[in-house]
Amino acid sequence: MASSLFLFLFFFLSSLFISNSQISDGVVFPVIRDIPTGQYVAQILLGDSSEPVKLVVDLAGPLLWFDCSSRQHVSSSRSFISGSSTGCLKARVGNERISRGNHNADCDLLVRNGVNGIAARGELVTDFLSFGSSSSPGRVDLLFACAPPWLLRGLASGAQGVMGLGRAQISLPSQLAAETNDRRRLTVYLSPSSGVVSSSSVEEVFGVAASRSLVYTPLSTGSSGNYVINVKSVRVNGVKLAVDGGSLAAELSTVVPYTTLESSIYRVFAEAYSRAAATEATPVAPVAPFGLCFTSMSEEDFPAVDLALQSEMVRWRIQGRNLMVDVGGGVGCLGIVDGGSIQVSPIIMGGLQLEGFVLDFDLGNSMMGFGQRTRSHSDSL
């Protein structure tokens, strides 16, 4: 039943968003949230296989990879890339190579699962990506890695791999931009049932009004190609937190379900949030993985969290359903958790906090736009 619903939404949204076969118009991939894991899943058509491949969306992933051994995804048009090819050289920028001693052998890479951090040897291959409608089909050659089945561990049920959207040379947005000679652009909108990942601009996907409503902030790139914004201060219910260290790097992630804070920051945050929420709700025993839980109250009653970006005038407000997680039994928990003392980035913004926001990654200008989009009825299902 769930599989049939996914396929219906996939083809319905494809016909809604993808109306041209021209690659210059961009490609739109419908996305839904996998409820048990909180991961976001897209489907794509590769080669002459009639079965779409389900991929977990990884905003920081350097490339697209999946388990090519599945019989339902066999494609006669797929071919391996040699270690001496230009495609292999691009793939190895920022990726570890597994040496076989023969420079002309297949292009081997170390492929990582961003959900659980495990890695395995993968082989770079090429095939064509199909998009558009039956009346207006399009296709483009695509590089990706074939990985062993056990690397799928930890991914959403039914997922066969990962859609890497990072800034590496063979990530999906980089490859699609290379086909058009346009600057790299990525539009992301996450929701439970009607999300979107696209190489088109926000204006092309959601219209002029949505595009004009976005607020932009400088975008930096971590060592692994992830997307990072700088947070000058954090406020709870309008009160600025006393956090040491000045500007905080905040990494955006689609494979982490809830925002995590480095432990020293989380302690300050949790104390401030408990005080702010005390007037509206009674704290109760926490339910893992959450550290703060309360007797159930309206989403609007949860104190808002503001992230001040390049200035105190530019703020990303997180509130309502982007904060509260209903764990049942009349208990609601705060969807911001302790990430531990060795977390690389002080802040990792997870999927729940990104939902409902249109994100425009203007990679050519190293800027990111964000703005909340009015949710449709299907978003609340």
Side-chain angles (χ1 to χ4, degrees):
M1 180 68 179
S3 176
S4 299
L5 177 61
F6 195 108
L7 287 172
F8 170 77
L9 288 168
F10 171 70
F11 290 113
F12 172 75
L13 289 171
S14 295
S15 64
L16 180 65
F17 287 116
I18 307 174
S19 58
N20 289 302
S21 63
Q22 299 297 315
I23 188 65
S24 59
D25 291 332
V27 185
V28 177
F29 302 97
V31 175
I32 67 171
R33 189 215 297 156
D34 177 68
I35 295 176
T37 62
Q39 297 165 17
Y40 297 88
V41 181
Q43 290 201 35
I44 67 173
L45 289 171
L46 286 173
D48 53 20
S49 172
S50 60
E51 291 290 333
V53 182
K54 290 177 65 174
L55 300 173
V56 170
V57 175
D58 185 355
L59 194 57
L63 78 167
L64 187 156
W65 64 265
F66 80 102
D67 170 22
C68 303
S69 66
S70 173
R71 291 185 178 180
Q72 67 187 73
H73 299 300
V74 171
S75 171
S76 62
S77 53
R78 186 179 304 154
S79 60
F80 288 91
I81 299 297
S82 74
S84 59
S85 67
T86 301
C88 188
L89 294 176
K90 289 182 179 180
R92 285 173 175 164
V93 175
N95 287 287
E96 296 180 52
R97 172 184 177 183
I98 299 178
S99 176
R100 280 180 153 182
N102 183 354
H103 186 61
N104 292 316
D106 293 338
C107 183
D108 292 346
L109 298 171
L110 193 64
V111 180
R112 295 186 183 277
N113 178 329
V115 173
N116 55 26
I118 61 176
R121 171 183 165 273
E123 296 176 303
L124 192 68
V125 299
T126 183
D127 210 333
F128 64 87
L129 167 71
S130 299
F131 59 95
S133 62
S134 58
S135 60
S136 182
R139 56 186 283 177
V140 61
D141 290 334
L142 191 70
L143 292 170
F144 57 92
C146 288
W150 59 263
L151 195 61
L152 302 177
R153 193 177 308 146
L155 300 185
S157 177
Q160 287 99 27
V162 166
M163 176 187 284
L165 302 177
R167 299 186 75 170
Q169 291 192 39
I170 66 163
S171 70
L172 188 59
S174 295
Q175 290 196 67
L176 293 178
E179 290 293 322
T180 64
N181 293 318
D182 291 335
R183 71 173 186 261
R184 286 179 296 169
R185 197 135 200 167
L186 175 65
T187 295
V188 175
Y189 174 71
L190 303 179
S191 84
S193 60
S194 57
V196 168
V197 165
S198 177
S199 59
S200 298
S201 67
V202 170
E203 182 174 338
E204 291 173 314
V205 179
F206 293 114
V208 175
S211 177
R212 290 177 177 174
S213 69
L214 301 185
V215 176
Y216 283 82
T217 190
L219 182 67
S220 58
T221 308
S223 58
S224 61
N226 51 353
Y227 300 108
V228 177
I229 58 176
N230 289 319
V231 175
K232 289 192 174 296
S233 68
V234 180
R235 292 175 182 266
V236 173
N237 217 26
V239 179
K240 185 176 179 179
L241 301 187
V243 177
D244 296 332
S247 182
L248 303 172
E251 174 188 342
L252 278 65
S253 174
T254 53
V255 296
V256 174
Y258 310 109
T259 289
T260 63
L261 305 178
E262 188 275 329
S263 290
S264 63
I265 300 172
Y266 181 79
R267 283 193 291 270
V268 176
F269 172 82
E271 183 179 348
Y273 204 91
S274 295
R275 287 198 304 268
T279 59
E280 298 291 342
T282 303
V284 297
V287 178
F290 309 106
L292 293 178
C293 296
F294 307 88
T295 52
S296 185
M297 58 182 177
S298 170
E299 292 174 353
E300 290 73 22
D301 291 333
F302 268 69
V305 176
D306 289 300
L307 306 180
L309 304 180
Q310 64 265 37
S311 74
E312 290 293 334
M313 300 297 293
V314 180
R315 296 185 184 181
W316 187 330
R317 169 158 287 195
I318 305 170
Q319 59 186 342
R321 68 177 66 189
N322 290 103
L323 278 179
M324 186 186 75
V325 179
D326 184 356
V327 297
V331 174
C333 296
L334 186 69
I336 298 178
V337 301
D338 188 343
S341 59
I342 60 173
Q343 179 170 298
V344 176
S345 297
I347 302 172
I348 298 178
M349 292 186 68
L352 178 65
Q353 283 66 48
L354 300 181
E355 278 193 7
F357 288 92
V358 176
L359 304 178
D360 174 23
F361 296 91
D362 185 347
L363 307 181
N365 293 318
S366 293
M367 299 290 289
M368 187 199 75
F370 64 96
Q372 200 153 25
R373 180 170 178 260
T374 302
R375 297 171 187 258
S376 67
H377 172 70
S378 61
D379 288 332
S380 62
L381 296 177

